[in-house]
Amino acid sequence: MGRIGDAARVAVAEQALAAYAQLTKPERHDFFVMLRDRFNSSPEAIRAAFAAYDADPSARTLVPLFNAVEPPRQTLLRRLNTAPGATLKLVHMRADLLKAIADDPELAPLDSDFGHLFASWFNRGFLTIQRID
């Protein structure tokens, strides 16, 4: 999804979310395992970025450290969120994840990613108050 245009990225996000919705419970577990294992931060990149920051603790070296520490799965989730109605689908995906964590606690790091992203997406500054009656 990184090397395609915006319209294509939205279409791919829609297809990916639709495909996820069709997964069975065991397939969803496998999907979460894949996210955990294949879309995790690189320990080597973190070590290298930290070594640079440790040698020169400045804003210039902090940004690469920040980028190295953030798991690529957060970027994937952000890109999935570009599809129409995706935020609610990602909330449901997190609900599936929480159920999966009950059976497999090793998936817990994924919940931190969802929590981090949702905290920024649902912050008070983005809320709109409307009267409902």
Side-chain angles (χ1 to χ4, degrees):
M1 291 178 66
R3 294 187 178 126
I4 58 179
D6 288 340
R9 185 176 295 135
V10 170
V12 170
E14 287 180 299
Q15 292 170 358
L17 290 169
Y20 174 83
Q22 300 299 315
L23 298 177
T24 63
K25 183 179 177 180
E27 290 170 333
R28 288 179 181 185
H29 177 267
D30 293 345
F31 171 76
F32 293 135
V33 168
M34 185 266 309
L35 278 182
R36 182 196 64 205
D37 296 345
R38 292 187 50 209
F39 288 83
N40 200 13
S41 299
S42 162
E44 296 81 17
I46 293 170
R47 283 187 199 97
F50 179 75
Y53 179 76
D54 196 34
D56 174 23
S58 65
R60 183 182 60 79
T61 58
L62 182 60
V63 171
L65 177 58
F66 234 33
N67 292 337
V69 171
E70 183 177 274
R73 62 183 164 256
Q74 286 190 16
T75 300
L76 175 63
L77 294 173
R78 281 188 201 97
R79 288 181 178 166
L80 289 175
N81 197 41
T82 62
T87 304
L88 180 59
K89 292 174 184 173
L90 290 171
V91 168
H92 291 153
M93 185 183 291
R94 185 186 191 197
D96 293 339
L97 172 63
L98 293 174
K99 291 174 190 169
I101 289 171
D103 296 328
D104 183 356
E106 297 290 319
L107 297 174
L110 297 177
D111 188 46
S112 295
D113 294 322
F114 276 95
H116 172 76
L117 293 171
F118 288 167
S120 65
W121 295 345
F122 297 126
N123 87 46
R124 193 176 303 175
F126 293 119
L127 296 179
T128 305
I129 306 292
Q130 294 183 12
R131 183 179 188 97
I132 300 174
D133 53 339

